[in-house]
Amino acid sequence: MAELLKGKPVVESMALDLTARIDALGRAGITPTLALVRVGARPDDLSYERTARKRAESLGIAIRSYELEEFAPQAAIEAAIHEVNADPRVHGCLLFRPLPSFVDESHVCELLDPKKDIDGITLASLASVFTDGHRGYPPATAVACIELLDFYQVPLQGKHIVVVGRSLVVGKPVSMMLLRRNASVTICHSKTENLAAICRSADVVICATGRARAFGAEFFSPGQTVLDVGINFDTQGNLCGDLDFAEVEPVVGAITPVPGGIGTVTTSVTMAHTVAAAEAAATV
Ligand code: NAP
């Protein structure tokens, strides 16, 4: 049976550190504050927002909501971002994406002050991921993968890590972070040939494709650590990851569940970045 790499112990460990730092900020009269900018009311956005609110409340982080109607014009969304930038009491901003198709999303993202970009949506934040720079913050999900691997003391240096998926939200940034940790990283995608053989050859596999239960036992080998980043729904509407958990779990050495794995940690990383942004604002 594989070791189950649950997100909850990681979240609890992060909460210990965050609580101390939030208390220190509180003594200086600062409440770390996260702005949530949501356009419309997509069920997955609302679900993430509920989770974020609960986590923020339990830690003592304030939430400022910017709720725009489904067909809000681009100017209204831009105005919300400008308001976030201008408000010194707001330290971080989470913009729910994708934005409606009629909106120029990359333009809106670029308006956000990198100091408040706690989810790596600006070019400044992304450039820092690739250059080991210090502007902005990396995408929270990519950081969550590293937090979980570190918490469970999974060796990275010199190890072969296969990342399946090359999005700017997960695949590319997590690959760069693993490279910084001296892993040998193979990035795979929809055009990769011999994907199953490449995955089987790895020490660690990170699946981030958004394909429900697409990775069965044939992709894995004994002793591997496998992270499932996918948040998908199967044909019956059940929440599931990219892995066929029932098939893969008996094969590998350690595996993250869905739900209760990477997604849980991602919310805490969002909070950790908000606290870091509040600390940085307090020192300038
Ligand atoms: P995305 O932008 O759609 O990227 C998916 C990636 O998977 C692409 O690079 C794509 O390759 C690759 N891919 C698709 N089919 C493949 C196949 N058959 N074989 C190999 N690679 C394949 O998705 P994303 O935003 O990165 O999200 C990925 C998953 O993570 C989704 O389920 C999403 O819901 C989940 N997610 C979870 C969290 C969390 O907190 N846990 C956060 C964000 C996203 P190409 O580039 O060649 O198209």
Side-chain angles (χ1 to χ4, degrees), residues 141 164-167 170 189-190 195 208-211 229-232 263 266:
T141 308
V164 193
R166 56 175 163 179
S167 73
V170 193
H189 46 78
S190 65
L195 180 60
T209 68
R211 292 164 66 239
V229 178
I231 297 181
N232 316 306
T266 299

Side-chain angles (χ1 to χ4, degrees), residues 38-52 94 96-98 231-233 239:
R38 172 167 50 77
V39 180
R42 282 208 319 264
D44 50 342
D45 288 349
L46 292 175
S47 159
Y48 189 79
E49 187 170 324
R50 274 194 298 276
T51 309
L94 189 64
F96 288 96
R97 296 183 296 161
I231 297 181
N232 316 306
F233 291 93
L239 178 64

Side-chain angles (χ1 to χ4, degrees), residues 44 48 119 140-142 144-145 163-172 187-192 195 207-212 214-215 219 228-233 240-242 258 261-267:
D44 50 342
Y48 189 79
D119 198 25
T141 308
C145 293
V163 176
V164 193
R166 56 175 163 179
S167 73
L168 277 177
V169 178
V170 193
K172 281 178 185 158
I187 306 174
C188 300
H189 46 78
S190 65
K191 308 292 186 292
T192 298
L195 180 60
C207 289
T209 68
R211 292 164 66 239
F215 292 80
F219 286 84
D228 190 350
V229 178
I231 297 181
N232 316 306
F233 291 93
C240 66
D242 287 0
V258 175
I262 296 295
T264 312
V265 181
T266 299
T267 314

